[in-house]
């Protein structure tokens, strides 16, 4: 598994998140979107001086916290990242037919030693699965092995690239694990599904001598709250440890 991931930069795990947990997470996503909590969390990232810490974070939603530290996910990540890794951030959204496309990009954050050998992984959870009427996830296998800026390929939009892989058929609860430096995009399928595309995205970093750059201004509060809630009890003490991050915040 680890060798295949190192070469291709991705791993698809159908049905990783149990149906019962997905059933509890779906209304949490609805609440997150419909009550403006997602928008409020974005405000806290864009203008922390004005908005401060958001009133609710994704990991404080019970089912989201369980997904974040789900034992089956942790077991896979330990094979990809080693026994000790640290949580980076969590993102949750609900996509309907009006969702915009997202151009080719990657999500790898730098560390303070510029050590690109350290791995960062994004776990993309599709609570309601994917069908060919939803926006597609497209990836470019192996592209994580060539250093480039996050938006170096954005000028292509979502144009087709030789060697790409389209992912548009997954059962509910499926997870796509990406090396965070892997190029990927959200491409509109041209069809319309009567189901929402429920999306939970959690990222994790390999630990070592380097420190990672966070993306949320309130990252210390986020990690402290995870510890207070007892998320990941019995797992590695590094999972929510502050010491693996530097103080400057990623932009964009």
């Amino acid at each position: 598994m680890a060798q295949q991931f190192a070469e291709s930069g991705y791993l698809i795990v159908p049905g990783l998140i149990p149906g019962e947990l997905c059933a509890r997470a779906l209304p949490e996503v609805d609440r997150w979107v419909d009550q403006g909590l997602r928008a409020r969390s974005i405000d806290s990232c864009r203008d922390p001086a004005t908005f401060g810490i958001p009133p609710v974070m994704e990991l404080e939603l019970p089912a989201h916290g369980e997904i974040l530290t789900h034992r089956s996910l942790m077991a896979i990540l330990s094979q990809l990242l080693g026994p000790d890794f640290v949580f980076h951030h969590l993102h949750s959204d609900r996509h309907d037919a009006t969702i915009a496309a997202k151009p080719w990009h990657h999500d790898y954050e730098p560390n303070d030693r510029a050590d690109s050998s350290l791995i960062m992984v994004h776990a993309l959870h599709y609570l309601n699965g994917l069908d060919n009427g939803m926006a597609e996830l497209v990836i470019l296998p192996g592209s994580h092995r060539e250093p480039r800026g996050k938006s170096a390929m954005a000028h292509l939009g979502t144009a087709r690239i030789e060697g790409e892989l389209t992912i548009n058929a997954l059962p509910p609860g499926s997870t796509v694990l990406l090396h965070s430096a892997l190029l990927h995009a959200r491409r509109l399928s041209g069809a319309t599904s009567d189901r929402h595309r429920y999306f939970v995205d959690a990222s994790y970093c390999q630990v070592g001598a380097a420190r990672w750059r966070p993306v949320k201004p309130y990252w210390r509060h986020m990690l402290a709250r995870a510890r207070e809630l007892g998320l990941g009890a019995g797992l590695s003490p590094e999972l929510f440890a502050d010491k693996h991050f530097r103080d400057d915040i990623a932009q964009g």
Side-chain angles (χ1 to χ4, degrees):
M1 180 188 298
Q3 182 61 34
Q4 182 266 322
F5 184 82
E7 293 175 358
S8 68
Y10 77 95
L11 179 67
I12 300 173
V13 189
L16 177 68
I17 306 302
E20 179 274 334
L21 181 51
C22 287
R24 288 190 286 117
L26 290 172
E28 288 185 354
V29 179
D30 288 334
R31 176 193 171 206
W32 182 250
V33 174
D34 295 336
Q35 295 185 9
L37 296 172
R38 178 176 181 273
R40 179 63 177 76
S41 72
I42 293 172
D43 288 340
S44 291
C45 290
R46 289 178 175 169
D47 188 358
T50 299
F51 292 97
I53 295 171
V56 180
M57 295 180 294
E58 295 97 326
L59 61 75
E60 294 178 296
L61 305 174
H64 278 65
E66 290 183 43
I67 290 171
L68 172 62
T69 56
H70 191 270
R71 292 310 197 261
S72 296
L73 174 64
M74 298 292 101
I76 294 173
L77 288 174
S78 68
Q79 295 186 55
L80 305 182
L81 297 171
D84 292 323
F85 49 88
V86 65
F87 165 67
H88 193 275
H89 70 277
L90 180 65
H91 166 76
S92 184
D93 201 2
R94 185 190 66 208
H95 303 157
D96 61 19
T98 66
I99 188 68
K102 190 168 185 178
W104 288 102
H105 68 287
H106 72 74
D107 297 304
Y108 187 86
E109 295 297 339
N111 55 70
D112 61 2
R113 295 201 174 192
D115 185 354
S116 61
S117 70
L118 289 176
I119 302 171
M120 181 180 187
V121 170
H122 273 63
L124 312 183
H125 305 292
Y126 295 93
L127 303 181
N128 207 25
L130 285 178
D131 63 40
N132 59 14
M134 298 177 181
E136 304 167 335
L137 170 65
V138 286
I139 63 176
L140 188 62
S143 57
H144 62 298
R145 300 197 300 267
E146 181 179 342
R148 54 170 62 84
K150 283 186 176 185
S151 58
M153 306 295 282
H155 64 283
L156 297 177
T158 61
R160 297 188 183 279
I161 298 178
E162 183 178 357
E164 71 173 40
L165 174 68
T166 299
I167 302 171
N168 60 7
L170 292 174
S174 294
T175 299
V176 181
L177 293 157
L178 299 183
H179 187 297
S180 300
L182 189 80
L183 287 173
H184 59 288
R186 182 173 64 228
R187 181 184 292 152
L188 303 186
S189 67
T192 300
S193 176
D194 59 359
R195 299 189 306 128
H196 288 301
R197 186 182 190 260
Y198 283 86
F199 179 69
V200 175
D201 169 9
S203 60
Y204 309 82
C205 301
Q206 194 171 36
V207 301
R211 294 179 302 151
W212 294 90
R213 187 170 68 181
V215 295
K216 294 185 184 289
Y218 49 88
W219 64 273
R220 289 186 187 277
H221 171 76
M222 178 180 67
L223 294 176
R225 188 69 179 119
R227 295 192 299 266
E228 291 171 2
L229 291 169
L231 298 183
L235 298 175
S236 168
E238 307 304 320
L239 188 58
F240 299 109
D242 293 7
K243 65 183 180 182
H244 300 299
F245 296 96
R246 61 199 231 189
D247 288 322
D248 59 317
I249 304 298
Q251 302 297 319

